[in-house]
């Protein structure tokens, strides 16, 4: 059995929030970062508590969706901009399955009726994946594959299990696909195509209380259209300082929008954007909306926002995620008049604060004999198949210990320095470690390890005896990489 080992320092990992997800039971909040991690929180009435950090994506996480597999555990699917799609069991914090699609991804959604996964990326089609196997079932094709879909929305017509997918392309055209319950064709062609001339669309959403109108949010403007034929009903713009990032219908005649800077606005729609319009009226024209409320969700800085209604209560949730790993959550009753009563008090959580309060045991630094100084791990190597790990530190020391003891100490916080071997010799930070026995066991002994450092030296050690064997200082710069060549050669070092 292979057990992954992650070494954390006293500083938390960088977590620049790029996307936000709230489970259907409102109890689990997940943030995806540009660094590729997923941070899972438990949501309580008056608090948000980090639960676990999931590491797997090699690029920024762009979307998260909840799977409906009929299981008691919470299963999600996450996507990265490089085309990776991962399945996770959030209840246990475990990885389940993954696939990689060709081309950058932008969004994923779990279809409400069929529970399949809809995938949108920078290519001329959208794809429907099986939620269990992640295999491609259907492809939603467009008449112009050079203009990919930037954003989309899904709704179900009344009294049917069919699904309508409405997407906006990069050139501002709206396209519609009809997905029936008994769909068998692998290729689904668009049923409607209309040019709206909406530059840089970022979001499209239908009014959940009435499918009569829909809202299209672009970076520089937002517009209200009639849902059936996309007749323009109302339009507004944004200032040049910050772009629109998304929006939702707050009420039948009100919309809520937010900007990339975190500013939130509520607009009252004109009457003609709410009630049916007589297209034969020659005096009809689009009317502007009126801003009735504005609210700063935090400092004016780039952030991610999520706003949705609860599936089980009459609450509405608004979540803000910042670049520094901080999240803030507002919860208010559906019938609350935010314009007059405000957003209320937010609950929040910071990764930095949670990391400091957790006070994890300093497994490597405890062995250095000076609890007042903290040394960062600058290099590491796994000594397979012996189940040991070697850590090079910023002070030049090398600490070697058994992996199982690291896990025991992480749980019990018991310090046992006799279980570790410490190698001293480098005068500055260790940059690289190499265990050649793993690559060429017939040539190198299992007790030999090589190191390269900032002090321009390459050293070989017998780590079982705790002694230095050789030291080479012929390099004219810090040693940044050590390579294990074929059997008839020796270790090669690379310097800056």
């Amino acid at each position: 059995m292979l057990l992954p080992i992650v070494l954390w320092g006293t500083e938390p990992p960088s977590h620049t929030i790029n996307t936000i997800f709230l489970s259907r039971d409102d109890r689990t909040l997940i943030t995806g970062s540009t660094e590729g991690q997923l941070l899972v929180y438990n949501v309580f009435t008056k608090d948000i508590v980090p639960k676990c950090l999931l590491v797997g994506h090699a690029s920024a996480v762009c979307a998260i969706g909840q799977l409906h597999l009929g299981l008691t555990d919470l299963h999600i699917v996450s996507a990265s901009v490089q085309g990776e799609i991962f399945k996770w069991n959030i209840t246990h914090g475990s990885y389940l399955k993954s696939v990689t699609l060709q081309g950058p991804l932008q969004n994923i959604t779990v279809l409400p009726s069929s529970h399949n996964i809809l995938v949108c990326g920078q290519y001329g089609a959208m794809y429907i994946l099986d939620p269990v196997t992640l295999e491609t079932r259907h492809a939603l094709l467009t008449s112009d594959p050079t203009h990919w879909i930037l954003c989309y929305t899904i709704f179900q017509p009344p009294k049917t299990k069919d699904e309508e997918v409405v997407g906006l392309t990069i050139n501002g055209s709206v396209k519609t696909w009809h997905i029936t319950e008994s769909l068998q064709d692998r290729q689904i062609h668009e049923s409607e195509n209309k040019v709206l001339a909406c530059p840089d669309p970022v979001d499209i959403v239908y009014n959940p209380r009435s499918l009569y109108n829909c809202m299209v949010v672009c970076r520089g403007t937002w517009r209200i259209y009639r849902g059936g034929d996309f007749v323009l009903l109302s339009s507004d713009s944004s200032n040049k300082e910050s772009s629109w990032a998304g929006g939702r219908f707050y009420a039948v005649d009100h919309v809520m929008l937010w900007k990339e800077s975190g500013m939130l606005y509520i607009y009252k729609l004109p009457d003609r954007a709410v009630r049916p319009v007589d297209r034969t009226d020659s005096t009809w024209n689009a009317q502007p909306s009126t801003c009735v409320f504005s609210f700063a969700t935090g400092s004016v800085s780039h952030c991610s926002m999520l706003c949705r209604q609860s599936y089980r209560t009459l609450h509405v949730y608004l979540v803000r995620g910042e670049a520094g790993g901080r999240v803030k959550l507002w919860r208010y009753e559906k019938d609350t008049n935010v314009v007059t009563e405000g957003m209320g008090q937010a609950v929040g959580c910071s990764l930095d604060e949670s990391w400091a309060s957790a006070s994890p045991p300093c497994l490597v630094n405890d062995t250095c004999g000076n609890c007042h100084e903290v040394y960062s791990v600058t290099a590491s190597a796994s000594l397979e198949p012996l189940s040991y790990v070697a850590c090079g530190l910023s002070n030049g020391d090398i600490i070697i210990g058994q992996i199982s003891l690291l896990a025991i100490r992480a749980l019990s916080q018991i310090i046992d320095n006799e279980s570790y071997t410490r190698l001293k010799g480098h005068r500055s930070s260790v940059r690289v470690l190499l265990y050649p026995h793993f690559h060429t066991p017939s040539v190198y002994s299992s007790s030999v390890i090589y190191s390269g450092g900032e002090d321009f030296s390459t050293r070989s050690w017998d780590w079982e005896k705790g002694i230095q064997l050789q030291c080479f200082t012929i390099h004219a710069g810090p040693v940044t990489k050590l390579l294990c060549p074929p059997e008839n050669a020796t270790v090669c070092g690379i310097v800056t």
Side-chain angles (χ1 to χ4, degrees):
M1 181 175 63
L2 297 178
L3 294 176
I5 297 295
V6 180
L7 300 176
W8 300 114
T10 56
E11 298 294 328
S14 177
H15 189 76
T16 306
I17 297 176
N18 192 50
T19 185
I20 305 172
F21 163 83
L22 184 63
S23 63
R24 293 179 67 90
D25 61 4
D26 307 327
R27 297 174 180 173
T28 302
L29 178 69
I30 305 175
T31 57
S33 70
T34 57
E35 293 81 10
Q37 317 135 342
L38 298 175
L39 186 54
V40 183
Y41 306 82
N42 288 327
V43 179
F44 302 100
T45 303
K46 298 182 179 180
D47 198 9
I48 303 176
V49 180
K51 176 184 177 182
C52 63
L53 186 70
L54 303 178
V55 180
H57 287 289
S59 59
V61 179
C62 60
I64 305 171
Q66 181 171 344
L67 296 173
H68 309 285
L69 303 177
L71 303 175
T72 55
D73 293 348
L74 173 59
H75 289 75
I76 69 163
V77 58
S78 61
S80 73
V81 295
Q82 288 187 356
E84 305 164 325
I85 299 179
F86 280 53
K87 280 177 60 178
W88 308 86
N89 183 326
I90 298 301
T91 305
H92 298 158
S94 59
Y95 157 86
L96 299 176
K97 189 178 182 64
S98 65
V99 295
T100 301
L101 303 182
Q102 298 297 323
L105 286 178
Q106 294 181 165
N107 199 2
I108 57 172
T109 304
V110 178
L111 297 175
S113 180
S114 62
H115 304 327
N116 292 323
I117 304 170
L118 181 62
V119 179
C120 170
Q122 294 183 12
Y123 25 77
M126 293 195 293
Y127 297 97
I128 298 178
L129 309 183
D130 186 281
V132 177
T133 63
L134 298 184
E135 296 178 349
T136 302
R137 283 186 171 181
H138 311 284
L140 308 185
L141 304 180
T142 67
S143 57
D144 186 1
T146 60
H147 294 150
W148 57 78
I149 302 296
L150 283 182
C151 57
Y152 59 86
T153 187
I154 304 166
F155 69 90
Q156 290 182 268
K159 300 179 181 181
T160 178
K161 291 187 177 180
D162 295 348
E163 295 162 327
E164 295 283 343
V165 178
V166 181
L168 284 171
T169 65
I170 191 172
N171 68 335
S173 298
V174 61
K175 298 178 181 292
T176 304
W177 294 266
H178 184 68
I179 303 175
T180 62
E181 185 180 4
S182 58
L183 180 65
Q184 298 295 331
D185 297 336
R186 292 189 60 86
Q187 294 185 347
I188 307 171
H189 296 273
E190 62 189 41
S191 58
E192 184 179 355
N193 180 18
K194 184 175 183 179
V195 178
L196 299 184
C198 296
D200 298 325
V202 295
D203 200 4
I204 177 174
V205 57
Y206 273 78
N207 190 338
R209 299 170 178 83
S210 169
L211 297 180
Y212 165 71
N213 51 8
C214 71
M215 177 170 58
V216 174
V217 182
C218 303
R219 295 194 178 277
T221 184
W222 61 271
R223 299 172 179 175
I224 302 295
Y225 290 93
R226 190 161 60 187
D229 50 12
F230 290 93
V231 173
L232 182 63
L233 304 178
S234 180
S235 179
D236 211 318
S237 61
S238 173
N239 56 44
K240 298 181 180 180
E241 297 178 358
S242 181
S243 301
W244 295 114
R248 291 294 181 268
F249 278 89
Y250 169 71
V252 175
D253 57 348
H254 286 74
V255 292
M256 177 184 291
L257 296 104
W258 51 88
K259 294 186 175 183
E260 293 178 345
S261 61
M263 286 297 299
L264 183 141
Y265 301 87
I266 294 179
Y267 286 84
K268 186 181 186 307
L269 301 178
D271 291 340
R272 289 186 176 180
V274 179
R275 60 182 174 83
V277 176
D278 183 6
R279 296 187 63 186
T280 62
D281 184 0
S282 60
T283 64
W284 182 91
N285 62 331
Q287 296 178 341
S289 302
T290 304
C291 181
V292 295
F293 179 77
S294 63
F295 176 70
T297 61
S299 60
V300 180
S301 60
H302 185 81
C303 63
S304 297
M305 300 281 289
L306 169 71
C307 180
R308 77 158 178 81
Q309 183 178 334
S310 173
Y311 290 96
R312 63 187 187 92
T313 67
L314 296 178
H315 288 93
V316 177
Y317 289 87
L318 176 68
V319 187
R320 168 187 168 123
E322 300 179 358
R326 177 180 291 275
V327 293
K328 297 173 68 177
L329 182 146
W330 290 264
R331 176 173 50 191
Y332 58 90
E333 294 285 347
K334 177 183 176 182
D335 297 330
T336 301
N337 191 338
V338 173
V339 177
T340 59
E341 300 180 25
M343 293 295 300
Q345 188 67 31
V347 294
C349 177
S350 169
L351 180 59
D352 292 346
E353 296 170 357
S354 301
W355 195 272
S357 62
S359 300
C362 199
L363 301 176
V364 174
N365 291 303
D366 289 340
T367 67
C368 297
N370 188 349
C371 61
H372 299 291
E373 296 188 36
V374 177
Y375 303 108
S376 60
V377 177
T378 55
S380 63
S382 176
L383 278 57
E384 293 293 341
L386 301 177
S387 298
Y388 278 73
V389 63
C391 299
L393 305 183
S394 56
N395 70 336
D397 290 357
I398 302 173
I399 304 299
I400 301 177
Q402 196 169 2
I403 294 178
S404 60
L405 294 179
L406 290 176
I408 293 174
R409 291 183 59 190
L411 297 174
S412 64
Q413 301 189 15
I414 297 176
I415 299 176
D416 182 10
N417 294 339
E418 296 181 358
S419 303
Y420 290 82
T421 299
R422 179 169 60 179
L423 306 177
K424 298 183 67 69
H426 285 286
R427 296 186 297 274
S428 57
S429 175
V430 179
R431 291 288 298 272
V432 62
L433 293 171
L434 174 67
Y435 186 56
H437 177 76
F438 176 76
H439 303 279
T440 317
S442 60
V443 176
Y444 297 98
S445 169
S446 61
S447 63
V448 174
I449 188 172
Y450 287 82
S451 63
E454 290 277 359
D455 57 358
F456 301 1
S457 69
T458 301
R459 302 170 188 260
S460 63
W461 311 82
D462 186 324
W463 66 270
E464 292 182 349
K465 296 180 180 179
I467 59 175
Q468 178 179 292
L469 301 178
Q470 294 172 304
C471 176
F472 306 95
T473 56
I474 59 175
H475 296 300
V479 182
T480 58
K481 193 171 186 179
L482 293 174
L483 304 176
C484 189
E487 297 185 3
N488 58 353
T490 56
V491 173
C492 173
I494 299 177
V495 300
T496 55

